[in-house]
Amino acid sequence: MRLPADSKITEKKILHAFQNALNRGVFPPPLFNDENFAYGRGRLTVFRSETEWLIAFEHLVYIGEANSYENIIYSFGNKVRGGIWNRKLFDMINTNEDINPFDFEISINSTRKQFHFEVEDYQKAGIDLKEDISNDPIFDRHLQILRVLVANLPTHDIFLSTNDLFETIGRSTTLPLFLQLYEWCHPDPRISKNDFLNPCLRSLIRAIANDNPNEYECPSHLINTHWSNWPPYGLTDI
């Protein structure tokens, strides 16, 4: 059955939705060095049906003011206005100021888990335990623990399942999974204030419009989703 012309997903319509989201402040999601949190890892998930597409960004972060590890979800699409939601990532069982980065316990998905790491585990994840990140050694320790965990835990332990993701953003029904990315080129106005869509996101839009995830491409030199690509805490001068 041929779909009505006004329900067809096109590149022009997706670009228009991105622009509307930009005007409403829903897009782009915060940078990975937002001043309100410290970033550990991210994921971008795209869903698509014949008449609807939906994008969800997940940021795994540590929020110092709340002493909380969170998954912050940003979503928008052609049938939703978009929004921002927080889900607890895990709880640190020992909340002492002197947290041992080599031996600690967390509660994740209602299960307590004990972790034992060596200096080499941190080094392998690119983490220098002696680095002064924020001038707050307690905050730095929490952030280092977040980063070593998201580098070692299975993705199904730290990111939301499809059902949980749709429940979080308030949808009663799900959409077919189109594409899921752990590496992409996140929008960065420090590079270009005028172009809110980089080549990788433009490629993603074309792939969605053509209903072909294999059309998405992002050159490796543009990928910037690892935390090491972002100086901490807010924008630097452009």
Side-chain angles (χ1 to χ4, degrees):
M1 181 178 67
R2 180 174 297 180
L3 293 172
D6 60 354
S7 65
K8 185 177 180 181
I9 296 174
T10 66
E11 189 172 345
K12 182 178 180 180
K13 288 180 180 179
I14 299 173
L15 282 168
H16 182 69
F18 269 74
Q19 183 65 61
N20 284 341
L22 177 73
N23 295 339
R24 297 197 313 272
V26 178
F27 179 84
L31 300 180
F32 293 137
N33 62 338
D34 186 274
E35 62 185 7
N36 296 308
F37 57 69
Y39 167 71
R41 194 177 179 190
R43 185 174 73 173
L44 187 162
T45 306
V46 184
F47 302 93
R48 190 194 192 284
S49 68
E50 287 189 330
T51 59
E52 181 176 2
W53 59 269
L54 178 67
I55 296 177
F57 293 85
E58 293 175 80
H59 292 187
L60 308 185
V61 304
Y62 175 69
I63 302 175
E65 288 187 359
N67 188 27
S68 181
Y69 300 89
E70 304 276 345
N71 183 349
I72 307 179
I73 301 98
Y74 309 85
S75 73
F76 66 98
N78 66 328
K79 297 290 183 69
V80 297
R81 287 187 56 80
I84 303 173
W85 297 266
N86 284 45
R87 286 285 296 262
K88 178 73 69 174
L89 183 56
F90 57 78
D91 288 305
M92 181 69 63
I93 301 301
N94 179 5
T95 57
N96 294 337
E97 293 185 357
D98 186 24
I99 297 175
N100 184 350
F102 307 113
D103 187 0
F104 58 87
E105 187 179 14
I106 67 171
S107 174
I108 183 167
N109 297 326
S110 303
T111 302
R112 292 172 70 126
K113 294 186 177 183
Q114 190 78 30
F115 289 90
H116 304 280
F117 288 110
E118 305 291 337
V119 172
E120 291 75 15
D121 296 312
Y122 283 90
Q123 291 175 338
K124 185 177 180 181
I127 301 164
D128 180 0
L129 288 171
K130 296 181 180 179
E131 181 183 6
D132 183 3
I133 304 172
S134 68
N135 296 320
D136 182 342
I138 299 172
F139 180 93
D140 291 355
R141 187 64 76 221
H142 280 286
L143 178 54
Q144 290 159 347
I145 285 174
L146 168 66
R147 287 174 173 172
V148 78
L149 282 172
V150 298
N152 286 276
L153 283 169
T155 55
H156 62 75
D157 274 350
I158 55 177
F159 291 102
L160 295 179
S161 68
T162 297
N163 287 338
D164 286 342
L165 186 57
F166 276 88
E167 179 183 347
T168 299
I169 64 180
R171 290 186 61 94
S172 58
T173 58
T174 63
L175 293 169
L177 177 65
F178 179 77
L179 186 64
Q180 200 159 67
L181 304 171
Y182 296 92
E183 294 181 328
W184 67 92
C185 184
H186 199 68
D188 186 351
R190 297 173 304 172
I191 297 174
S192 173
K193 289 182 177 180
N194 299 318
D195 185 4
F196 66 93
L197 289 177
N198 57 59
C200 297
L201 286 181
R202 289 186 179 274
S203 172
L204 179 62
I205 288 173
R206 287 193 297 272
I208 296 171
N210 295 331
D211 196 14
N212 184 0
N214 293 324
E215 290 191 20
Y216 169 76
E217 57 183 6
C218 185
S220 59
H221 72 277
L222 293 181
I223 292 172
N224 65 358
T225 43
H226 192 270
W227 53 263
S228 61
N229 291 305
W230 300 82
Y233 317 119
L235 290 171
T236 56
D237 293 333
I238 300 176

